[in-house]
Amino acid sequence: MRDFSKGHEWLSINTATVRKQLGAEVPLDRIIDQCAERGIRAISPWRDQVAAVGLDPIAAQLKAHGIGLSGYCRGGFFPAPDAAGLKAALDDNRRAIDEAKTLNAPCLVLVVGALPGALDGKAAYKDLGRARHEVRDGIAATLDYAREVGMPLAIEPLHPMQAADRACINTLEQALDLCDELDAQKTGALGVALDIYHVWWDPKLQQQIVRAGQERLLAYHVCDWLTPTRDLLSDRGMMGDGVVELKKIRGWIEATGFAGFSEVEIFSNLDWWQRPGAETLDVCISRHKTAV
Ligand code: ZN
């Protein structure tokens, strides 16, 4: 297992972690400068953050700083109540792939979606099986284009508490079943983003990490699970502040041959988003050395 205690060369910052600083939204170009000042070598930005500044300026800024991506957030949200909605989702995923290419991302992360409209409190239907079917078809269709341009897709299973509104793929096993169905040859075009927050509790976690292997493990996201958790979406903990055995799990992951970034992704409306970004980034660096 790699020794993270001496430096932070394998730390990546998911830019949602410092999206808000002292309670206010901070533009991505400022976040990139803050990362560059600390010698952080990789980030994973969100589409809306990129769009707010502009795709080309962000690509140029990353290049100037020598900062790479550990992933691009995000595609997905495939289910829709009608044919027009399904097509709009495919078009949007195609655009996400193009953006990911421009930014030289190693993969596009997919939060696959669930009951359409549920995120706004009004689900268009309640058939989760139908949603899963639409997700399968959406990924299959998107994979054709992703293969054509060479942009791997990383399915991120989400904690079951988000099965209604954000993702109806909720375990690593479920995500890998889909990978095996749509990319049986393990071509590298389809894999998983393993976010510790979503899968740490899974009794089959180790077994499914072994099953995934290096070929399918395209991204690794870290934070911690706080007790109690006060908000279903945005009360993630800083590594070391919760109950996840991060080093043990990284050991399982690295045993597959994985040698990529540990991407810190913390949505924390109640804590870290209320602090200065400099403080949050500095603590990410120190906890990456001691707790990841
Ligand atoms: Zn994640």
Side-chain angles (χ1 to χ4, degrees):
M1 196 161 132
R2 292 171 293 174
D3 179 6
F4 281 179
S5 69
K6 305 278 190 303
H8 58 283
E9 63 173 324
W10 294 109
L11 164 70
S12 170
I13 295 292
N14 183 299
T15 56
T17 305
V18 278
R19 147 189 295 281
K20 286 188 201 165
Q21 305 183 7
L22 296 169
E25 196 82 17
V26 173
L28 184 58
D29 50 351
R30 172 76 193 116
I31 292 170
I32 291 171
D33 284 340
Q34 291 174 318
C35 289
E37 283 160 18
R38 289 166 176 77
I40 290 167
R41 296 200 304 141
I43 63 167
S44 183
W46 287 66
R47 289 184 75 195
D48 66 312
Q49 293 179 299
V50 171
V53 179
L55 182 61
D56 291 334
I58 290 297
Q61 187 189 9
L62 288 169
K63 198 171 175 197
H65 282 311
I67 292 178
L69 262 57
S70 57
Y72 188 47
C73 296
R74 57 176 163 53
F77 281 85
F78 295 104
D82 52 36
L86 292 170
K87 174 157 191 319
L90 293 182
D91 292 346
D92 191 50
N93 276 279
R94 207 178 159 104
R95 285 191 293 274
I97 288 171
D98 291 340
E99 292 166 27
K101 279 303 280 186
T102 301
L103 295 171
N104 272 319
C107 62
L108 175 68
V109 172
L110 300 181
V111 172
V112 296
L115 302 176
L119 206 49
D120 306 315
K122 206 168 166 25
Y125 60 74
K126 297 184 182 179
D127 184 348
L128 202 57
R130 173 178 164 186
R132 288 182 171 140
H133 196 82
E134 290 174 356
V135 164
R136 180 220 168 271
D137 291 350
I139 294 176
T142 303
L143 194 55
D144 289 338
Y145 183 60
R147 278 204 175 100
E148 196 182 309
V149 301
M151 177 51 60
L153 302 177
I155 302 170
E156 181 165 333
L158 259 54
H159 191 284
M161 68 184 169
Q162 295 179 339
D165 51 16
R166 283 189 169 79
C168 56
I169 292 181
N170 306 102
T171 62
L172 201 49
E173 181 173 36
Q174 210 185 340
L176 290 169
D177 285 349
L178 206 47
C179 289
D180 287 349
E181 182 189 343
L182 300 178
D183 180 51
Q185 312 303 321
K186 293 197 175 183
T187 62
L190 187 61
V192 295
L194 193 160
D195 186 325
I196 211 69
Y197 195 70
H198 295 300
V199 301
W200 71 277
W201 56 273
D202 186 347
K204 291 185 178 173
L205 183 58
Q206 183 178 14
Q207 175 206 104
Q208 293 299 315
I209 286 171
V210 171
R211 174 187 171 193
Q214 198 182 354
E215 300 94 340
R216 295 273 198 234
L217 283 171
L218 302 184
Y220 178 47
H221 302 172
V222 296
C223 63
D224 214 333
W225 183 278
L226 298 175
T227 54
T229 289
R230 298 163 293 174
D231 182 288
L232 292 188
L233 179 68
S234 57
D235 193 25
R236 293 181 176 215
M238 178 63 66
M239 300 79 72
D241 287 347
V243 297
V244 179
E245 293 180 292
L246 285 161
K247 288 190 186 194
K248 181 193 274 184
I249 297 170
R250 183 162 68 87
W252 297 343
I253 288 170
E254 295 198 5
T256 70
F258 178 89
F261 289 98
S262 295
E263 176 185 318
V264 176
E265 184 181 32
I266 301 174
F267 310 144
S268 176
N269 212 13
L270 297 163
D271 188 351
W272 297 97
W273 286 351
Q274 304 302 327
R275 305 195 197 195
E279 179 189 343
T280 303
L281 289 172
D282 289 342
V283 176
C284 285
I285 289 170
S286 68
R287 294 296 180 85
H288 189 262
K289 292 178 181 168
T290 58
V292 174

